[in-house]
Amino acid sequence: MTAKTAFARNQWYVVAYGTEVGREELLARTVCGEPLVLYRTEEGAAVALADRCVHRRYPLSASRLDGDRVVCGYHGFTYDTTGTCVYVPGQRRIPRTARVASYPLVEQDSFVWVWIGDPALAATTAPPRAPWLADPAWATVSGMEPLAARYGLLVDNLLDLSHETYLHGGYIGTPEVAETPITTEADDEHNIVRVSRRMADAACPPFYAKSTGIEGRITRWQDIEYHAPCLYQLHSRIAPVGVLPEEDGSDPNGFHTEIVYAITPSTENTTYDFWAVARDFAQEDQEVSDFLHKFNREVVLQDVTALDLLEKIVADEPDSVQELSINIDTGGLAARRILRRLCEESGTAEGTAEGTAAAARAAR
Amino acid sequence: MTAKTAFARNQWYVVAYGTEVGREELLARTVCGEPLVLYRTEEGAAVALADRCVHRRYPLSASRLDGDRVVCGYHGFTYDTTGTCVYVPGQRRIPRTARVASYPLVEQDSFVWVWIGDPALAATTAPPRAPWLADPAWATVSGMEPLAARYGLLVDNLLDLSHETYLHGGYIGTPEVAETPITTEADDEHNIVRVSRRMADAACPPFYAKSTGIEGRITRWQDIEYHAPCLYQLHSRIAPVGVLPEEDGSDPNGFHTEIVYAITPSTENTTYDFWAVARDFAQEDQEVSDFLHKFNREVVLQDVTALDLLEKIVADEPDSVQELSINIDTGGLAARRILRRLCEESGTAEGTAEGTAAAARAAR
Amino acid sequence: MTAKTAFARNQWYVVAYGTEVGREELLARTVCGEPLVLYRTEEGAAVALADRCVHRRYPLSASRLDGDRVVCGYHGFTYDTTGTCVYVPGQRRIPRTARVASYPLVEQDSFVWVWIGDPALAATTAPPRAPWLADPAWATVSGMEPLAARYGLLVDNLLDLSHETYLHGGYIGTPEVAETPITTEADDEHNIVRVSRRMADAACPPFYAKSTGIEGRITRWQDIEYHAPCLYQLHSRIAPVGVLPEEDGSDPNGFHTEIVYAITPSTENTTYDFWAVARDFAQEDQEVSDFLHKFNREVVLQDVTALDLLEKIVADEPDSVQELSINIDTGGLAARRILRRLCEESGTAEGTAEGTAAAARAAR
């Protein structure tokens, strides 16, 4: 565990839900140490600009829109959607260097993704998908909780679900989660870690019993797919004990839940914890949706409380403190290894978050 | 923009309004990183001593007066108005080194000025004047707002009034302020920067219309005179369009407002923002005074909010971050240049606030 | 005064009152920078373990008991009272290195003492005694106030009672305390400092008059015995003027109060201020007990307020700032000298609190 956080640059990150970006208020978010301001044009396109006026560093998020342009609230420097300055006070000539960075942006699956790194490289790759979240065949609840902890602690947390039994006992945890061994697979070429836990005969968490109508014990599968650095998917399948998918791969008797997290590093010690839960059953049942939103948010807040506490501990400890890893940590350790490589590849291996952000600014 | 703040020593600074210094409570203020305690003698003279007992560093401002002497609230070390220790507990002999610094002090124009630097040099210069503030021919409203920002940000702010249009729109700003070019003059010999903006035909801010009775558009002059490091004057003149001063310099048909700021560095990242507004019209109208006090305080607080926000940004950024300056910044850049020289002359050019304060203590 | 705090290791420290340690809640305390968790077994024995799970550093104090074992609230690592891990999730084999430190512990005189340092050395010495606190012949009131100040400031405070006259005027201070010279004796072999102040004819603080029935002036003895680093005793004797102990050492006409402090360093800038007042008069009078608890707590809080303020000052000052010491400081300076030697002997002389804690962890 290092006391400093490195960021993987030249990557797509979720910065917001599409519904959070509008015209009434400018949205300020910091991703990988870079301050961004987000808004929509009159035609509805989302825009992400660097949130610092070139003149005296005033945050554009504390400004206002004039049509599709942002007018700085301090001295009126005005920027168009490409970040080019189109007005300065007291003179007609606009300096040629007067522009702020504009960030490549993709909207899909209910998320707004921004590219952090060299904009010229954005077209070389696409953000990973989470199609269920915007698919009318699925019912989705979602939210975002800010975390006062480095993003690595959330990656650790989500890659090892044995904590469900203890931190989320009575919610989504049952004894079988901690007891059942996992299989782990690291796909270093595509930066994906897969962790699979297949419980053939497990207690049914009360929520699932209620929303699926299953009585008695269940077959419960938890198949994690982590697309480093930002997107985490937990493919969850439950069914009465012994009920498996058909030979052709279809699964009419299973109940499927897609639990999606976007793990977005904000600063060295803060993280955006986007969470969404999509299901292919009881889609029309508003009571189930309401309950699931409340319930899953409580589970996320249990993690937030634990990780905020843990951040204070690791932030105070020297780098030399040892952890003790066991089998359940295989997925988390694979994720750390891939993240370390992604940081190295973006030139910030030994760098800190501060260094990264400074490098980013210098590079522009 | 440097992340560290240097202080110009061997200078006069406003530490308080005279009305803030009394006998009921000892007043604690920190100027250029030096902690001071202020009080009045029984005869009414203001006294400024270093706010740290020589014994165990307890703040004398947490103590009490015994006649004209300060009795330390921890162990009773007692100091006279010159800072000499005249009593210690448990023994008769008082160590010869038992004294705290006493600061040269001048009361004028409603302000208490203290000399920060070598006391022997205090007599070589006098604090600049702001005579309107104590002149019965003028009506004055005033206040002080503490700023959680380095003093340089307030100097920048006040030397470039184009921000009135944006930050104070609807208050003192109208479009003409940002649109009208300025003339700037730097008097390096006397450490004065002058910035002049003369609007021949401008909208009249609602307040001025109400208090002067002028209908329609106005001629509006804003003549800044910044006496570095501490005193800022804005000589404001308004009159109906086309109405100018007489040939002999008299100006019976103009309305004059003297807006005075004392910009006093407290710590590296905090500043005392003293503000006063004197007018030579409607002097007896209490309603105008009340309105003007409330109104100008709101304007000052708009600056406070903006600068406190800006401080957080620049404090987190590396020194290498570039600003982009244009014509409106000529006055501010001249002020920065003079302040840098004053810091150099007082030997703290490359020093930080901490270094400065340490040097100050070591020198005594 | 150094800005960094060194800790004396291989020493006993009071971590809690026995009544604070139970089974309902795990008690978290940090001593000399080392985080501890305390609880009682089903049989009632107090246990002190390191408060960090070996797996991912989660605090065991945020966990729960299972019988006499602590179950980590994050992933279920389970420890017995010796700190040995007896369960991990998802596998049968428990790594041999899976253990947390268990701290030697002694309960006596109402206190729980823990040994900070090499556990093998704990048996070489015993914690100092304060027998009055658990003696039915004495009536005791007690409490603990957390201090946002380094422990050295509390040692300074308690070794020089002349501050009673100023900081506690109207409470326990009268003019004679500051006026009366002291005698000091440093026993470097046993790490004890004695400071004695014998007032033959002094005003009687109102509280003593009320609880003893003495009218008029008193003979007042204050005999300090500081057992560095943690235990401070103030043997207080009052009697009508001229009434002395008998030749055989008995003292039937004196009123005795034993004021005990345990000064326990928590972090570099925080301290536990345990205080207890035992008396051999009016033992059955609940009104006196209630008053004395309230009254002495107020006195302690006067110190807390002053020392918290002083900490902020010294934390901001460079190490080069000079203090001025006089006769009253002889005891405090002797205590500082002994503490410095104890720190040196435990290898943390030039080390900081952080270094100390890191060394402690590395050594395990």
Side-chain angles (χ1 to χ4, degrees):
Chain A
M1 176 80 44
T2 166
K4 292 285 181 181
T5 301
F7 299 134
R9 292 169 50 73
N10 295 326
Q11 298 288 341
W12 290 101
Y13 288 97
V14 171
V15 63
Y17 289 106
T19 52
E20 295 181 288
V21 180
R23 290 184 56 80
E24 295 296 308
E25 294 197 359
L26 295 165
L27 178 66
R29 289 268 153 93
T30 296
V31 177
C32 296
E34 300 197 24
L36 307 182
V37 57
L38 291 121
Y39 67 97
R40 287 193 188 276
T41 64
E42 290 178 335
E43 294 204 337
V47 177
L49 302 179
D51 191 22
R52 297 288 178 266
C53 182
V54 291
H55 176 227
R56 287 292 178 269
R57 316 295 300 152
Y58 198 72
L60 298 179
S61 53
S63 305
R64 62 177 177 79
L65 288 179
D66 176 13
D68 288 350
R69 297 169 169 186
V70 182
V71 182
C72 178
Y74 198 176
H75 299 96
F77 279 57
T78 302
Y79 302 90
D80 68 16
T81 60
T82 71
T84 303
C85 183
V86 295
Y87 171 83
V88 301
Q91 66 189 55
R92 303 226 164 168
R93 201 186 65 81
I94 297 166
R96 266 179 305 175
T97 56
R99 57 180 306 280
V100 297
S102 168
Y103 287 75
L105 184 152
V106 168
E107 276 199 82
Q108 69 184 18
D109 307 331
S110 82
F111 290 134
V112 178
W113 293 83
V114 291
W115 177 260
I116 299 296
D118 179 354
L121 300 177
T124 61
T125 177
R129 302 299 308 255
W132 319 280
L133 308 190
D135 183 338
W138 294 69
T140 300
V141 295
S142 64
M144 189 279 282
E145 314 302 329
L147 202 62
R150 63 196 67 189
Y151 73 100
L153 293 181
L154 185 54
V155 174
D156 281 356
N157 174 283
L158 292 172
L159 269 288
D160 171 15
L161 295 181
S162 72
H163 80 271
E164 289 184 353
T165 305
Y166 299 94
L167 199 55
H168 309 305
Y171 283 75
I172 51 176
T174 69
E176 293 84 4
V177 179
E179 286 165 10
T180 306
I182 52 166
T183 59
T184 302
E185 177 196 317
D187 175 350
D188 282 277
E189 188 184 338
H190 300 95
N191 302 323
I192 298 174
V193 178
R194 292 187 180 84
V195 179
S196 187
R197 176 181 275 112
R198 304 245 166 149
M199 295 163 271
D201 184 351
C204 185
F207 154 71
Y208 277 124
K210 187 175 166 189
S211 60
T212 62
I214 299 179
E215 294 171 9
R217 295 176 66 83
I218 56 173
T219 293
R220 185 178 182 189
W221 292 356
Q222 296 180 319
D223 294 322
I224 294 171
E225 210 169 75
Y226 171 50
H227 299 251
C230 190
L231 191 72
Y232 171 96
Q233 303 167 349
L234 169 58
H235 311 297
S236 166
R237 175 190 186 275
I238 72 165
V241 168
V243 175
L244 298 180
E246 308 291 314
E247 298 241 328
D248 65 2
S250 69
D251 189 18
N253 299 314
F255 296 83
H256 302 90
T257 314
E258 295 288 341
I259 297 122
V260 176
Y261 285 83
I263 304 166
T264 302
S266 180
T267 67
E268 198 176 309
N269 295 312
T270 60
T271 303
Y272 299 112
D273 182 349
F274 295 90
W275 59 269
V277 178
R279 67 186 188 275
D280 71 352
F281 54 93
Q283 293 99 319
E284 308 299 320
D285 191 331
Q286 187 62 37
E287 199 182 332
V288 169
S289 291
D290 291 346
F291 175 82
L292 194 51
H293 185 277
K294 178 171 177 297
F295 178 87
N296 205 71
R297 183 159 186 270
E298 282 172 22
V299 168
V300 170
L301 290 178
Q302 288 168 343
D303 283 331
V304 168
T305 300
L307 299 185
D308 287 2
L309 175 60
L310 201 48
E311 172 63 37
K312 286 182 192 159
I313 289 173
V314 299
D316 276 351
E317 288 186 333
D319 290 6
S320 56
V321 167
Q322 294 287 316
E323 296 174 329
L324 186 146
S325 295
I326 59 175
N327 293 350
I328 55 168
D329 299 307
T330 318
L333 295 177
R336 288 187 192 182
R337 193 185 64 236
I338 288 174
L339 287 169
R340 203 177 309 121
R341 176 170 51 72
L342 293 180
C343 290
E344 283 167 5
E345 287 172 4
S346 57
T348 66
E350 69 292 336
T352 65
E354 271 175 81
T356 309
R361 284 185 292 261
R364 248 169 237 149
Chain B
M1 177 81 41
T2 165
K4 293 285 184 181
T5 300
F7 298 134
R9 292 168 51 73
N10 294 326
Q11 298 289 341
W12 289 102
Y13 289 96
V14 171
V15 63
Y17 290 106
T19 52
E20 294 181 289
V21 179
R23 291 185 57 77
E24 296 297 307
E25 294 198 358
L26 297 166
L27 178 67
R29 289 269 153 91
T30 296
V31 178
C32 296
E34 300 197 23
L36 307 182
V37 56
L38 291 121
Y39 67 97
R40 286 192 189 277
T41 64
E42 289 179 336
E43 295 203 337
V47 177
L49 302 178
D51 192 22
R52 297 288 179 267
C53 182
V54 291
H55 178 228
R56 287 293 178 267
R57 315 295 301 153
Y58 198 73
L60 298 180
S61 53
S63 306
R64 63 176 177 79
L65 288 179
D66 177 12
D68 288 350
R69 297 169 169 185
V70 182
V71 182
C72 178
Y74 197 177
H75 299 94
F77 278 57
T78 302
Y79 302 90
D80 69 14
T81 59
T82 71
T84 304
C85 183
V86 295
Y87 172 82
V88 301
Q91 67 189 54
R92 303 228 163 165
R93 200 186 68 79
I94 297 166
R96 267 178 305 174
T97 56
R99 57 179 307 281
V100 297
S102 168
Y103 287 76
L105 182 152
V106 168
E107 276 198 83
Q108 69 185 18
D109 307 332
S110 83
F111 290 134
V112 178
W113 293 83
V114 291
W115 176 260
I116 299 295
D118 179 354
L121 301 177
T124 61
T125 177
R129 301 300 305 256
W132 319 278
L133 307 190
D135 183 338
W138 294 69
T140 301
V141 296
S142 64
M144 189 280 281
E145 314 303 329
L147 202 62
R150 63 197 64 189
Y151 73 101
L153 293 181
L154 184 54
V155 175
D156 281 355
N157 174 282
L158 291 172
L159 268 289
D160 171 14
L161 296 181
S162 72
H163 80 271
E164 289 184 354
T165 304
Y166 299 94
L167 199 54
H168 309 305
Y171 284 76
I172 51 176
T174 68
E176 294 83 6
V177 179
E179 286 165 9
T180 306
I182 52 166
T183 59
T184 303
E185 178 195 316
D187 174 350
D188 283 277
E189 188 184 341
H190 300 95
N191 302 323
I192 298 174
V193 178
R194 293 187 179 84
V195 179
S196 187
R197 176 181 276 112
R198 303 242 165 151
M199 294 164 270
D201 183 352
C204 185
F207 155 71
Y208 277 123
K210 188 175 167 189
S211 60
T212 62
I214 299 179
E215 293 171 10
R217 294 176 67 85
I218 55 173
T219 293
R220 185 178 182 188
W221 293 356
Q222 295 179 320
D223 294 322
I224 294 170
E225 208 170 76
Y226 171 51
H227 298 251
C230 191
L231 192 71
Y232 171 96
Q233 304 166 348
L234 169 58
H235 311 296
S236 166
R237 175 190 185 274
I238 71 164
V241 168
V243 175
L244 298 180
E246 307 292 313
E247 299 243 325
D248 65 1
S250 69
D251 189 19
N253 299 314
F255 296 83
H256 304 90
T257 314
E258 296 287 342
I259 297 121
V260 176
Y261 284 83
I263 304 166
T264 302
S266 181
T267 66
E268 197 174 309
N269 294 312
T270 60
T271 302
Y272 300 112
D273 182 349
F274 295 90
W275 60 268
V277 178
R279 67 187 189 277
D280 70 353
F281 54 93
Q283 293 99 322
E284 308 299 320
D285 191 331
Q286 187 61 38
E287 200 182 330
V288 169
S289 292
D290 291 346
F291 175 82
L292 194 51
H293 185 276
K294 179 172 177 295
F295 179 88
N296 204 71
R297 183 160 186 271
E298 281 171 23
V299 168
V300 170
L301 290 177
Q302 288 167 343
D303 283 331
V304 168
T305 301
L307 299 184
D308 288 2
L309 176 59
L310 202 48
E311 172 64 37
K312 287 183 191 155
I313 288 172
V314 299
D316 275 352
E317 288 186 333
D319 290 5
S320 56
V321 168
Q322 294 287 316
E323 295 173 329
L324 186 145
S325 296
I326 58 175
N327 294 349
I328 55 167
D329 299 307
T330 319
L333 295 177
R336 288 187 191 181
R337 193 185 65 235
I338 288 175
L339 287 169
R340 203 178 308 121
R341 176 170 51 73
L342 293 180
C343 291
E344 283 166 6
E345 287 171 5
S346 58
T348 66
E350 68 292 335
T352 66
E354 272 176 80
T356 309
R361 282 186 293 262
R364 247 168 236 150
Chain C
M1 175 80 44
T2 165
K4 293 285 182 180
T5 300
F7 298 134
R9 292 169 51 74
N10 294 325
Q11 298 288 342
W12 289 101
Y13 288 96
V14 171
V15 63
Y17 289 106
T19 52
E20 294 181 289
V21 180
R23 290 184 56 79
E24 295 298 306
E25 294 199 358
L26 296 166
L27 178 66
R29 288 269 154 92
T30 296
V31 178
C32 295
E34 300 197 23
L36 307 181
V37 57
L38 291 120
Y39 67 96
R40 286 193 189 276
T41 63
E42 289 177 336
E43 294 202 337
V47 177
L49 302 178
D51 191 22
R52 296 289 178 266
C53 182
V54 292
H55 177 228
R56 287 293 178 267
R57 315 297 299 154
Y58 198 72
L60 297 179
S61 53
S63 305
R64 63 177 178 79
L65 288 179
D66 177 12
D68 288 350
R69 297 169 168 185
V70 182
V71 182
C72 179
Y74 197 177
H75 299 96
F77 278 58
T78 302
Y79 302 91
D80 68 17
T81 60
T82 70
T84 304
C85 183
V86 294
Y87 171 83
V88 300
Q91 66 189 54
R92 304 226 164 170
R93 200 186 68 80
I94 297 166
R96 265 178 307 174
T97 56
R99 57 180 305 282
V100 297
S102 168
Y103 287 76
L105 182 153
V106 168
E107 275 198 84
Q108 69 184 19
D109 306 331
S110 84
F111 290 135
V112 178
W113 293 83
V114 291
W115 176 259
I116 299 295
D118 179 354
L121 300 177
T124 61
T125 178
R129 301 300 306 253
W132 319 279
L133 307 190
D135 183 337
W138 294 68
T140 300
V141 296
S142 64
M144 188 280 281
E145 314 302 329
L147 202 62
R150 62 197 67 189
Y151 74 101
L153 292 181
L154 184 54
V155 174
D156 281 356
N157 174 283
L158 291 172
L159 269 288
D160 171 14
L161 296 181
S162 71
H163 81 271
E164 289 184 354
T165 305
Y166 299 93
L167 199 55
H168 309 305
Y171 283 76
I172 52 177
T174 69
E176 295 83 5
V177 178
E179 285 164 10
T180 306
I182 52 165
T183 59
T184 303
E185 179 195 316
D187 175 349
D188 282 277
E189 188 184 340
H190 299 95
N191 303 323
I192 298 174
V193 178
R194 292 187 180 86
V195 179
S196 187
R197 176 181 275 112
R198 303 243 165 152
M199 294 164 270
D201 184 352
C204 185
F207 155 71
Y208 278 123
K210 187 175 169 191
S211 60
T212 63
I214 299 179
E215 293 173 8
R217 294 176 67 83
I218 56 173
T219 293
R220 185 178 182 188
W221 293 357
Q222 294 180 319
D223 295 322
I224 294 171
E225 210 170 75
Y226 171 51
H227 299 252
C230 191
L231 191 71
Y232 172 97
Q233 304 167 348
L234 169 59
H235 312 296
S236 166
R237 175 189 185 275
I238 72 165
V241 168
V243 175
L244 299 180
E246 307 291 313
E247 298 241 328
D248 65 0
S250 69
D251 189 18
N253 299 314
F255 295 84
H256 302 91
T257 314
E258 295 288 342
I259 297 121
V260 176
Y261 285 83
I263 304 166
T264 302
S266 182
T267 66
E268 198 176 309
N269 294 312
T270 60
T271 302
Y272 300 112
D273 182 349
F274 295 90
W275 60 268
V277 179
R279 67 187 189 276
D280 71 352
F281 55 92
Q283 292 99 321
E284 308 299 320
D285 191 330
Q286 187 62 36
E287 199 182 330
V288 170
S289 292
D290 292 346
F291 175 82
L292 195 50
H293 184 278
K294 178 172 178 296
F295 178 88
N296 204 72
R297 184 160 186 270
E298 282 172 23
V299 168
V300 170
L301 290 178
Q302 287 166 344
D303 283 331
V304 167
T305 301
L307 299 185
D308 288 1
L309 176 59
L310 202 48
E311 172 64 36
K312 286 182 192 159
I313 288 173
V314 299
D316 276 351
E317 288 186 332
D319 290 7
S320 56
V321 168
Q322 294 288 315
E323 295 174 329
L324 186 145
S325 296
I326 59 174
N327 294 349
I328 55 167
D329 299 307
T330 320
L333 295 177
R336 289 187 191 181
R337 193 187 62 235
I338 289 174
L339 288 169
R340 203 177 309 121
R341 176 171 51 73
L342 293 180
C343 290
E344 283 168 4
E345 287 172 6
S346 57
T348 67
E350 69 292 335
T352 66
E354 272 176 79
T356 308
R361 284 186 292 261
R364 244 168 240 151

